Amino acid sequence: MLIKLEYKISGGDFTRAGHASSEVKKNLKQLGVDPLIIRRVVVSMYEAEVNIVAHAYNGHIKVEIESHRIRIVLADKGPGIPDIEMAMREGYTTASQQVREMGFGAGMGLPNIKKNSDILNITSIVNEGTTVEIINNLQ
Amino acid sequence: MKKIVTEKVQKMKTSELIQKLNLRVFNSNQISDAEITGGYTSDLLSDVMGNAAPGQAWLTLQTHKNVAAIASLKDLSAIVLVNNNTPENDMLEAAENEGIAVLGSQLPAFELSAAIYNALQV
């Protein structure tokens, strides 16, 4: 089995944030995946999706669902992350005041992604963009 | 500690909670009378994303559309706006599409959390 899904994300468009994650959740539910695993996938994917909206100019998400695992690659064009280790620290944020007033940007996104992924790879080039790969086992 | 609290908490239908605490209902269509299994009070969206549990009612002062998206993704039972806050139109619309109750109270977060907690006790 292989299901491929793709989504385009516009930077700054919070009204659509979570749409892709919601679609993936529906797919996993239909496939009868363990709800605890679905919750992990949803948390990590949503946070990564919101990071594109909050920080990048635009991005795209590629999702591959196989019977044993789900692989989500979120690639954006944006400012990039100068220090990934620092960004992974709980409470560290570079979010704008506007984003923080919405209740985002508390420096919890990347730690949430890490906690809810079996494999997490982040690569980033400053002034070019960031790619986040999240893999979760489905069995 | 957490286990003891969980055991003491009783489930309650959304309609019962609305009646008991005289909550305002913002939904115009019929709400799903979901079972409320507890509550989570927070205005940080990533905190709710990371720490709220399915079935909980979410108490917040945030009124924008992303609240509905998170409530749906996390399978929360209801959104309860504190301190006389009212939902933005697109938030209410998104919640209605997902069948999530959007409720409100004049109480601030601390008092409303206590009231819901007490209402859920056996």
Side-chain angles (χ1 to χ4, degrees):
Chain A
M1 177 195 73
L2 178 63
I3 297 172
K4 285 187 175 183
L5 304 165
E6 284 196 39
Y7 305 94
K8 280 188 179 163
I9 308 292
S10 304
D13 184 8
F14 276 97
T15 62
R16 295 275 297 166
H19 173 75
S21 304
S22 174
E23 292 288 307
V24 168
K25 182 187 175 189
K26 279 178 203 155
N27 271 276
L28 294 177
K29 234 175 166 177
Q30 273 175 4
L31 293 167
V33 173
D34 180 346
L36 286 172
I37 296 175
I38 296 180
R39 263 176 245 159
R40 279 172 62 77
V41 171
V42 164
V43 172
S44 54
M45 181 174 174
Y46 177 79
E47 293 286 6
E49 190 182 344
V50 165
N51 276 348
I52 297 179
V53 177
H55 297 283
Y57 315 130
N58 60 70
H60 66 264
I61 304 177
K62 286 184 180 178
V63 183
E64 295 168 9
I65 305 171
E66 293 172 85
S67 53
H68 67 294
R69 68 162 199 179
I70 177 166
R71 178 173 176 262
I72 304 165
V73 179
L74 306 99
D76 72 52
K77 286 185 182 142
I81 306 171
D83 187 339
I84 292 174
E85 203 183 316
M86 180 85 96
M88 293 300 295
R89 281 189 207 164
E90 200 128 2
Y92 179 82
T93 183
T94 58
S96 67
Q97 180 66 26
Q98 190 200 352
V99 167
R100 279 185 279 142
E101 275 169 12
M102 291 176 80
F104 291 114
M108 299 176 75
L110 283 172
N112 266 356
I113 295 174
K114 197 177 178 188
K115 271 180 231 158
N116 289 284
S117 320
D118 291 331
I119 298 172
L120 170 64
N121 292 310
I122 303 174
T123 52
S124 190
I125 301 171
V126 173
N127 293 328
E128 284 190 24
T130 301
T131 298
V132 175
E133 180 188 38
I134 297 166
I135 297 173
N136 273 304
N137 296 318
L138 296 182
Q139 287 168 349
Chain B
M1 181 69 180
K2 200 172 182 181
K3 200 179 170 196
I4 296 167
V5 172
T6 308
E7 281 170 0
K8 275 174 78 181
V9 168
Q10 191 189 35
K11 286 181 184 174
M12 184 182 271
K13 291 279 187 192
T14 306
S15 55
E16 287 175 72
L17 192 74
I18 292 166
Q19 207 177 7
K20 214 164 177 176
L21 297 184
N22 198 19
L23 299 173
R24 183 171 171 190
V25 181
F26 292 104
N27 306 58
S28 54
N29 56 359
Q30 195 162 2
I31 56 166
S32 78
D33 199 9
E35 201 117 47
I36 294 175
T37 58
Y40 199 83
T41 306
S42 181
D43 304 318
L44 290 179
L45 275 59
S46 286
D47 175 37
V48 177
M49 207 58 210
N51 299 314
Q56 288 181 332
W58 177 10
L59 284 68
T60 183
L61 52 72
Q62 297 286 359
T63 57
H64 55 84
K65 193 181 171 189
N66 300 92
V67 173
I70 289 179
S72 164
L73 285 167
K74 293 289 287 183
D75 297 320
L76 302 179
S77 50
I79 298 161
V80 192
L81 301 177
V82 302
N83 236 351
N84 274 327
N85 278 288
T86 55
E88 288 168 25
N89 288 339
D90 58 354
M91 184 254 223
L92 187 58
E93 196 183 323
E96 286 182 341
N97 287 340
E98 298 290 338
I100 298 167
V102 182
L103 313 173
S105 168
Q106 78 284 3
L107 293 174
F110 180 73
E111 279 89 342
L112 188 63
S113 301
I116 292 181
Y117 181 86
N118 286 330
L120 288 171
Q121 299 310 300
V122 177

